[in-house]
Amino acid sequence: MALYWPEEKVALDIVDDPYRTPFEGDDSYTVLRVTCADLCNYDSYSKVMKRLCELLGKEAPDMPGWEDANRTLHSTFFSQVGDAMDVPTYPFPDYFEDEDLSNVEIVASSEEEGARMRAAAHSKGQYVRGISVWDGPVPKGSFEAISETTRMSTPEYFFLRKANQLPFVEAVCMGIELCGKYRTQLTQYDKSEGYDFLKTPRTSKDTLRHYLRDIRNTKEGKRAKRILRHVLDQCSSPMSCYLYVLLCLPRSQGSYGFERPGQWGPVCTDKGFLPASSGDYLMYDLFWPKKLVAVQYTGEAYPRERDFVALATENVRVVCVTDDDLADPEKFDAVAQRIAKLLDVKLPEPSEKWTESNKHLRSQLPIPAYNHMKLTMHDITEHYVA
């Protein structure tokens, strides 16, 4: 739920209330975000109330005996509603019972709450990998239960948090990865090297859009929606994502600003598949179906004739990109110029500002250095996870 004081432009938002209507005010409000656990524990509740008094310009009660009476009232009230709220109270005596949390990162609404949860885990002899603080909104569908005492963040909740914590370009890559068919260390912390090819994506743009609907008027929701606008579904490799970001993000980000390609994956036509099955490539890295233009990463060298003919079937015009093209900004610019010509768009002359933005984009987005990134069956099976 969220409580509002319109005259003072202050709101109290209980972010994990299961029946919550998220805060929907504008940026003029000061929003104090708390959890149910913050209110269940008297010490943290007292700090919340004192802070609320400060925001409202009121003095906290300090008459003799008031705190004892308030503590009794708090204890009486929460003893009656605690079970109904289904929220564990500190020190969480059974919260971490029999759980293996060695690979778990606690998500807490404050450093203090995270420290208390870590201490509770340690008291049970458990090790927690780390603590991530998030004091923003928590929409419905943010968690799924994995046991009676532990919940896990959904991909949608992960997207919301990281979209507000990562730089723009990295956040877009993170969203593409969550909606795609691969995972790297960006979305899977224990992937020390390499990447996995997934049978099905973990989420989709439509799912994320629906998830963000209830917080669309919050600053966190607006930021996540801005990132989501540049995410595409079904991306199949880190290289496909890299090419998309360099070529298709807005020019203000240092990209070339090409229109978005069609959805990734094999293209089925009346005459068969694109690319043709006579070649090794299963799909294009980028494909504009209305223009019949494709971009294909081909590794160290250009493809052999049989593969190129299969890529260029049904008059598809293919631009191949090699490792040398990626490593040399001038060579990659020549690639972009060829794509622009095929798409029948005229790129503006690069201004000094755009050139600096492009250098910055390249510096914050290193070329993927994984082996076997061509979209062939041979390379895909090097990463495949059932």
Side-chain angles (χ1 to χ4, degrees), residues 9 16 18 33 38 81 87-88 101 118 130 158 161 165 211 227 230 243 273 315 318 322 326 328 342 363 382:
K9 291 294 184 179
D16 59 349
R33 292 188 170 90
D38 289 329
V81 304
V87 174
L101 300 182
R118 185 198 289 272
F158 182 89
R161 291 186 289 116
Q165 294 167 349
Y211 168 79
I227 298 298
H230 301 283
L243 290 169
F273 285 103
N315 298 317
V318 184
T322 66
L326 295 171
D328 187 330
L342 293 174
S363 68
E382 292 290 329

Side-chain angles (χ1 to χ4, degrees), residues 177 182-197 238 368-373 382-385:
E177 189 167 314
Y182 70 96
R183 65 185 177 200
T184 70
Q185 194 174 34
L186 185 58
T187 61
Q188 184 78 10
Y189 84 93
D190 57 355
K191 288 298 297 175
S192 57
E193 58 183 29
Y195 68 90
D196 295 329
F197 182 85
Y370 308 109
N371 295 322
H372 307 290
M373 284 189 291
E382 292 290 329
H383 308 283
Y384 182 70
V385 175

Side-chain angles (χ1 to χ4, degrees), residues 319-337:
V319 177
C320 295
V321 181
T322 66
D323 292 332
D324 285 344
D325 294 326
L326 295 171
D328 187 330
E330 291 187 5
K331 288 184 178 180
F332 191 81
D333 185 70
V335 168
Q337 296 295 336

Side-chain angles (χ1 to χ4, degrees), residues 12-183:
L12 176 69
D13 194 358
I14 306 173
V15 297
D16 59 349
D17 179 354
Y19 303 104
R20 167 177 177 255
T21 300
F23 170 72
E24 295 186 350
D26 56 36
D27 292 340
S28 65
Y29 272 82
T30 299
V31 185
L32 181 58
R33 292 188 170 90
V34 301
T35 65
C36 294
D38 289 329
L39 301 181
C40 288
N41 176 269
Y42 183 78
D43 291 337
S44 57
Y45 156 82
S46 180
K47 292 179 181 179
V48 169
M49 292 303 108
K50 289 178 181 178
R51 176 58 178 155
L52 185 59
C53 286
E54 292 176 4
L55 293 174
L56 294 175
K58 307 291 183 182
E59 292 188 6
D62 61 353
M63 65 278 292
W66 181 87
E67 183 174 338
D68 289 340
N70 185 249
R71 187 181 293 270
T72 300
L73 176 62
H74 178 276
S75 176
T76 301
F77 177 74
F78 279 99
S79 66
Q80 295 174 356
V81 304
D83 291 339
M85 294 176 69
D86 192 27
V87 174
T89 57
Y90 296 111
F92 291 2
D94 300 315
Y95 192 73
F96 297 102
E97 193 73 51
D98 299 324
E99 296 291 344
D100 178 11
L101 300 182
S102 59
N103 288 329
V104 167
E105 180 172 299
I106 289 174
V107 179
S109 62
S110 66
E111 292 183 4
E112 293 78 8
E113 181 186 62
R116 290 197 296 268
M117 294 177 73
R118 185 198 289 272
H122 286 178
S123 71
K124 295 295 181 180
Q126 296 287 2
Y127 169 77
V128 175
R129 176 171 54 86
I131 297 171
S132 179
V133 175
W134 171 254
D135 61 358
V138 183
K140 295 177 182 177
S142 294
F143 297 100
E144 57 182 274
I146 58 176
S147 76
E148 292 183 357
T149 59
T150 307
R151 299 182 302 174
M152 180 174 66
S153 295
T154 59
E156 294 75 35
Y157 186 38
F158 182 89
F159 174 82
L160 169 62
R161 291 186 289 116
K162 295 302 180 181
N164 281 273
Q165 294 167 349
L166 296 174
F168 175 83
V169 171
E170 191 174 351
V172 170
C173 293
M174 176 272 304
I176 290 174
E177 189 167 314
L178 285 176
C179 295
K181 290 188 173 182
Y182 70 96
R183 65 185 177 200

Side-chain angles (χ1 to χ4, degrees), residues 7 21 35 55 65-66 92-93 119 133 172 215 225 256 264 269 278-279 306 310 326 349:
E7 292 185 6
T21 300
T35 65
L55 293 174
W66 181 87
F92 291 2
V133 175
V172 170
I215 60 166
K225 285 177 65 179
Y256 284 86
W264 277 285
T269 72
S278 56
R306 180 171 70 88
L326 295 171
E349 288 295 322

